[in-house]
Amino acid sequence: MFRTALRNVFAHKARLLMTVLAVMLGVAFVSGTLVFTSTISDAYQNSSAKGFDDVDVAVHAESQKDQGNKLGTARELTQTQLDAIADVPGAASTIGVVKGFTALADKNGKLIGGGFQSEGGNYWGKKDARYPLTSGTAPHGAGEVAIDAKTAKRAGYQVGDTVRLSVDGPVLTPRISGIFTTDDGNVTAGGSLALFDTATAQKLFGKPGTFDEIDVKAAAGTSQAALKSAVDKALPAGTIGTETGKELADQQADAIARSMEGLKQALLVFAGIALFVGTFIIANTFTMLVAQRTKELALLRAVGASRRQVTRSVLLEAFVVGTVAAVTGLLAGIGIGAGLRALMGAFGQSVPDGPLVVAPSTIAAALAVGILITMLAAWLPGRRAAKIPPVAAMSSLHAQATTKSLVLRNTLGALFSGAGIAVVLAATTMKGTDGQAPMGLGAVLLIIGVFILTPLLSRPLIAAAAPLMRIFGVAGKLARQNSVRNPRRTAATASALMIGLTLITGMTVMAGSLQQAIDKMASSAIRADFVVTMANGHPLSADVEKKLAASADVTATSPMRNAPVRIDGATDYLTGVNGAEIGKLTDLTLDEGTFTVGGGQVVVDTNTAKEHGWKPGSSFTAYFEDQKSERLTVSGVYEGNELIRGTLMDAARLAPHQSTVTDMQVLVKTSDGASSTAKDTLEKALGSNPAIRVQSKQDLSDEVSKIFTLMLNMLYGLLAMAVIVAVLGVINTLAMSVFERSQEIGMLRAIGLDRKGIKRMVRLESLVISLFGGVLGIGLGVFFGWAAGQLIGASMPTYALVLPWGRMAVFLLLAALVGVLAALWPARRAARLNMLTAIKSE
């Protein structure tokens, strides 16, 4: 039986090639994902670990916790504590660390590093071991700064140049005193690092005389654990927290691994989809191979082979095919992993240097996935073939499915589909994340149910195409009949394409609906012409709002500043606004009371009012961070949204309670409206600061649109893998169908159907099958998009279903194109069959 299985593999090399390719693509995606994420994670971990080479113990201040009506205060490390730690036995040196956001501009005034990786800090003394200088000297005074070598090279800066930068809004123009090297992970990832002398950094980052962290280097012969214990004893318990350099490196490694986990899971999901689609092709291939060898298998049974031996021979073929596919897929995956890393560099995403990592677990996963998927997909056809009695197989009585098996299949499919629809509909009535798991379960059940029912659905749906097929005469009629002759084969072929288009359509429906919902939210909630924010989402200096208000073209401004408070023993947040102007800048729907913000009056959104049981006229006491309290009165209740919600209080009344007054954003209305001229005027009023973004409502909408477009393009690219596998499935099915119908094709040629007619017949058959899968996929995608939208709509009142008719038409054309391209080789092969040889074939 072993020799028989190997002979069958070599006898059907061409037919099994498509199966090998389908499995190989899925395995390549899995192994490529694992290689890529392992390589990037290892590179970042090694790079970040270097940053802790000179840190044996790191000290930070422990903040007090919120208790009762008292907000906890953030403790700070002082020079006195640094001196005490420096005197600890075993401490060779100590460094006070100051950190904060610092946006650097290039010579064209553009922000370097995209904002989120733009960091600043302090250079310790005249020679800081953390940052070796490659040129120049250490920064000294407010007029000097040192920048990292990668940023200097990228922006073309040299020692002595003047650079524009900002830490919280106002533009600074210090001179570059020195350029240094660093292993900082943000710099490695394409960000920037600017260093000031310690006193200047403390002043700029709002931390005069204090430090964010104290790094301690152990003396020779002192272990990290011993130094940590000594430092802990040097200061009162509960005031500081300490970690050894090894603990920090481990924490950093865990954080990097967690950050990569999301990307890895997302990529593996798409790899799983490709393998899932490939499973249909494998099952289809082995079903047809087994069907073509029915008499051969029956003869084996007749000469003494048992059912198990027949099943094992089919599984052995699958094992050989799976092994070849897994090995080639692993090799291709290693190439994909290396290519993805290079691609990141091409897109400007810097990655630390490091070797390509092919972990043993990656090799094991690739081999296991490829071999197991193939053998599982081949098991059912092998088992089915072994159960056919030899006499029945000899006379081909098994060819047609029995009425009992069809009834059982359709009943099972109806039950799965009904259960899936019921669970999905039930999930749409749930709130928030509660409905996500049930909806995912319902979607899986429904897809399985539709797959089982696909043979039943194929007849009426393909029959609907009959009027169009008549246009092509005899070839069209034959193509339609061939499409429904073997519903199971047609179903397995169409289902592969159906799954890919289901996901693509569902994602497109959700993205389009969300885009419109956000557009409506921005236009309905904000009357302001512009929204001013920091590029990285950090707080703005309060001076920004003052500068904007002083501009001649500005008619109204309001800050949006958050402040923690304690209300009824729980921590909450108030939003400070310009009470006199906020009504001109927002268009919030008022449910009750009046929209009055000023003095001791506040307005709250419906969720906050419901949570506390408030209504217009209700009073409550708010305890602030300065340990003082105020009695506030609710003047009105409004409908909140993702942009504006919570409790709105007059900023002038809130500011005295804040230790540092900063704004998350500033709303601005101008006399010229949201024009490009007005935008330029505001940007100039703020010193053309690259760290500050001035955005109109249209800019906000375009920014969100870019995010959705990027997300969809990535999804389309990833799901293209599933579509490619589906194309292979169509080619495989048609090629084997042509082989199976060689005698029939020979007879058609003999009675007058020319080669062009044969080609047209095969192409139309492929087209009909692909369009059938496309219609099912688009229909399911719309349903899932609607259902997911119901969950989103529960927390987003402006959400409404948007059907992208244009894109859905493109998807249907894509399905048709898949059918046309997939039929090229099988149609050519069918047309080239020798007429007499085909007629004599069995």
Side-chain angles (χ1 to χ4, degrees):
M1 295 303 292
F2 177 75
R3 288 196 298 271
T4 301
L6 289 179
R7 180 184 62 79
N8 287 327
V9 170
F10 290 113
H12 303 120
K13 294 188 291 291
R15 297 179 218 169
L16 291 171
L17 177 61
M18 296 299 175
T19 300
V20 170
L21 286 174
V23 180
M24 185 200 76
L25 285 172
V27 172
F29 209 159
V30 171
S31 54
T33 296
L34 295 175
V35 169
F36 171 67
T37 52
S38 297
T39 299
I40 298 300
S41 180
D42 183 73
Y44 275 115
Q45 286 175 10
N46 290 337
S47 175
S48 64
K50 291 178 183 177
F52 298 113
D53 287 347
D54 294 319
V55 180
D56 289 308
V57 174
V59 183
H60 64 267
E62 290 283 2
S63 298
Q64 292 178 324
K65 296 181 179 179
D66 299 345
Q67 290 183 347
N69 290 323
K70 185 178 179 181
L71 282 168
T73 56
R75 290 196 179 100
E76 296 172 328
L77 296 171
T78 63
Q79 183 65 42
T80 302
Q81 290 170 314
L82 186 145
D83 294 338
I85 293 170
D87 292 335
V88 168
S93 62
T94 56
I95 293 176
V97 179
V98 184
K99 295 180 286 188
F101 168 69
T102 302
L104 280 174
D106 60 21
K107 292 186 175 181
N108 296 319
K110 301 296 183 181
L111 181 64
I112 299 173
F116 291 95
Q117 292 92 25
S118 302
E119 296 292 335
N122 67 313
Y123 192 94
W124 189 255
K126 294 183 178 180
K127 188 176 182 181
D128 194 328
R130 299 172 299 169
Y131 308 113
L133 290 167
T134 59
S135 60
T137 59
H140 180 72
E144 292 186 348
V145 65
I147 65 173
D148 67 273
K150 288 189 176 181
T151 298
K153 182 178 179 181
R154 190 169 33 182
Y157 282 127
Q158 296 179 348
V159 172
D161 290 345
T162 298
V163 62
R164 292 169 60 82
L165 59 85
S166 172
V167 296
D168 62 357
V171 176
L172 304 174
T173 54
R175 183 184 69 86
I176 298 175
S177 67
I179 295 174
F180 59 88
T181 59
T182 177
D183 293 316
D184 186 278
N186 285 322
V187 174
T188 305
S192 62
L193 180 61
L195 300 179
F196 310 90
D197 67 43
T198 300
T200 301
Q202 289 174 327
K203 182 179 178 182
L204 288 175
F205 302 137
K207 304 163 186 174
T210 64
F211 306 98
D212 293 296
E213 184 180 296
I214 296 174
D215 292 341
V216 190
K217 180 70 175 174
T222 303
S223 68
Q224 290 187 349
L227 180 59
K228 178 179 183 298
S229 178
V231 171
D232 287 338
K233 294 176 183 178
L235 295 173
T239 60
I240 63 167
T242 55
E243 289 92 17
T244 64
K246 184 180 184 307
E247 289 172 341
L248 288 173
D250 291 342
Q251 290 172 12
Q252 186 80 359
D254 289 341
I256 292 170
R258 286 195 301 271
S259 67
M260 297 299 297
E261 195 63 32
L263 175 62
K264 181 191 293 186
Q265 289 178 358
L267 291 174
L268 286 176
V269 164
F270 291 102
I273 293 168
L275 285 169
F276 186 54
V277 173
T279 302
F280 293 116
I281 298 175
I282 301 164
N284 212 14
T285 302
F286 278 94
T287 298
M288 288 187 283
L289 284 174
V290 168
Q292 291 169 11
R293 289 163 39 212
T294 299
K295 289 187 179 181
E296 176 191 325
L297 294 175
L299 185 60
L300 288 172
R301 291 288 311 283
V303 297
S306 65
R307 287 185 178 182
R308 287 186 178 179
Q309 284 179 310
V310 171
T311 304
R312 281 196 212 117
S313 71
V314 175
L315 289 177
L316 186 57
E317 288 181 51
F319 175 78
V320 174
V321 171
T323 302
V324 172
V327 172
T328 54
L330 174 61
L331 295 176
I334 294 171
I336 289 173
L340 286 174
R341 176 174 175 172
L343 195 63
M344 288 185 69
F347 281 104
Q349 297 294 319
S350 300
V351 179
D353 294 331
L356 196 68
V357 179
V358 184
S361 58
T362 299
I363 299 173
L367 294 176
V369 166
I371 294 171
L372 288 177
I373 288 290
T374 307
M375 293 184 71
L376 285 173
W379 174 75
L380 189 59
R383 183 172 175 271
R384 189 185 298 130
K387 290 175 69 176
I388 301 171
V391 175
M394 291 286 190
S395 57
S396 297
L397 295 176
H398 69 289
Q400 296 297 323
T402 63
T403 303
K404 180 180 177 181
S405 69
L406 290 174
V407 170
L408 179 62
R409 179 179 181 127
N410 294 337
T411 302
L412 191 63
L415 289 174
F416 268 97
S417 299
I421 292 172
V423 173
V424 169
L425 292 177
T428 61
T429 63
M430 300 178 184
K431 293 183 178 180
T433 57
D434 295 341
Q436 291 180 1
M439 186 165 290
L441 174 63
V444 171
L445 291 174
L446 181 54
I447 288 176
I448 293 173
V450 171
F451 168 67
I452 296 173
L453 285 175
T454 305
L456 178 66
L457 297 172
S458 64
R459 290 185 179 276
L461 287 177
I462 291 177
L468 291 175
M469 302 297 281
R470 290 196 191 101
I471 299 173
F472 300 97
V474 175
K477 182 179 181 180
L478 290 171
R480 184 181 65 80
Q481 291 175 346
N482 290 334
S483 302
V484 296
R485 178 186 296 179
N486 192 331
R488 291 189 176 185
R489 183 191 303 160
T490 298
T493 305
S495 295
L497 189 59
M498 176 192 78
I499 293 170
L501 286 179
T502 295
L503 292 167
I504 290 174
T505 305
M507 295 291 185
T508 304
V509 169
M510 285 180 59
S513 302
L514 276 170
Q515 173 66 55
Q516 187 185 76
I518 291 171
D519 288 348
K520 284 183 179 178
M521 187 184 299
S523 60
S524 63
I526 299 177
R527 289 182 185 172
D529 297 317
F530 297 98
V531 178
V532 180
T533 59
M534 287 292 281
N536 66 337
H538 280 217
L540 286 159
S541 166
D543 290 338
V544 171
E545 195 257 344
K546 294 177 182 177
K547 287 185 177 180
L548 292 169
S551 177
D553 296 325
V554 173
T555 59
T557 64
S558 175
M560 301 287 287
R561 62 182 59 150
N562 292 335
V565 293
R566 296 285 285 180
I567 300 173
D568 297 331
T571 301
D572 206 336
Y573 285 86
L574 299 181
T575 300
V577 298
N578 185 333
E581 306 285 358
I582 191 65
K584 302 175 185 177
L585 298 164
T586 59
D587 192 14
L588 301 172
T589 302
L590 194 66
D591 287 344
E592 300 178 85
T594 60
F595 200 91
T596 304
V597 180
Q601 292 187 305
V602 298
V603 292
V604 299
D605 68 342
T606 50
N607 290 337
T608 303
K610 184 177 180 180
E611 180 183 347
H612 292 280
W614 293 339
K615 57 184 179 180
S618 298
S619 295
F620 62 93
T621 302
Y623 297 85
F624 297 88
E625 58 182 312
D626 63 352
Q627 311 306 327
K628 295 181 181 179
S629 65
E630 285 205 29
R631 192 72 179 168
L632 303 175
T633 302
V634 176
S635 65
V637 179
Y638 68 93
E639 291 184 12
N641 54 59
E642 295 298 316
L643 299 176
I644 301 175
R645 57 185 173 182
T647 303
L648 306 184
M649 178 183 179
D650 188 63
R653 195 177 182 98
L654 178 62
H657 297 292
Q658 296 181 277
S659 56
T660 303
V661 180
T662 56
D663 302 325
M664 292 308 298
Q665 59 187 27
V666 178
L667 305 181
V668 183
K669 196 167 186 64
T670 64
S671 55
D672 293 335
S675 64
S676 57
T677 303
K679 183 176 181 178
D680 290 341
T681 301
L682 295 181
E683 289 176 342
K684 288 178 181 177
L686 296 172
S688 299
N689 193 329
I692 297 180
R693 293 188 301 181
V694 179
Q695 295 176 293
S696 65
K697 286 188 283 188
Q698 186 60 49
D699 292 334
L700 292 172
S701 177
D702 291 344
E703 184 177 36
V704 174
S705 180
K706 286 179 182 178
I707 293 172
F708 281 123
T709 301
L710 177 63
M711 178 187 71
L712 278 178
N713 288 339
M714 290 176 63
L715 290 173
Y716 291 160
L718 292 168
L719 289 171
M721 181 70 73
V723 175
I724 291 172
V725 174
V727 171
L728 294 175
V730 178
I731 296 173
N732 212 18
T733 299
L734 289 174
M736 300 185 82
S737 177
V738 166
F739 176 84
E740 200 175 67
R741 291 164 18 217
S742 295
Q743 189 179 60
E744 175 189 322
I745 292 170
M747 291 295 295
L748 289 171
R749 290 287 314 282
I751 61 176
L753 191 63
D754 60 9
R755 289 187 174 185
K756 287 185 178 179
I758 295 293
K759 284 184 178 180
R760 189 179 298 117
M761 178 187 72
V762 176
R763 287 169 183 165
L764 288 173
E765 181 183 345
S766 175
L767 182 65
V768 167
I769 292 173
S770 296
L771 286 175
F772 169 53
V775 169
L776 284 181
I778 291 171
L780 283 174
V782 169
F783 175 70
F784 290 139
W786 166 82
Q790 294 298 108
L791 276 181
I792 297 170
S795 58
M796 189 178 288
T798 56
Y799 185 91
L801 181 67
V802 176
L803 294 180
W805 296 105
R807 291 205 177 191
M808 288 194 293
V810 170
F811 297 156
L812 200 58
L813 289 174
L814 175 65
L817 182 63
V818 165
V820 172
L821 293 176
L824 292 177
W825 178 62
R828 185 168 176 268
R829 184 184 179 197
R832 294 180 63 185
L833 283 175
N834 183 281
M835 189 188 310
L836 295 177
T837 304
I839 291 173
K840 289 189 294 182
S841 66
E842 296 185 4

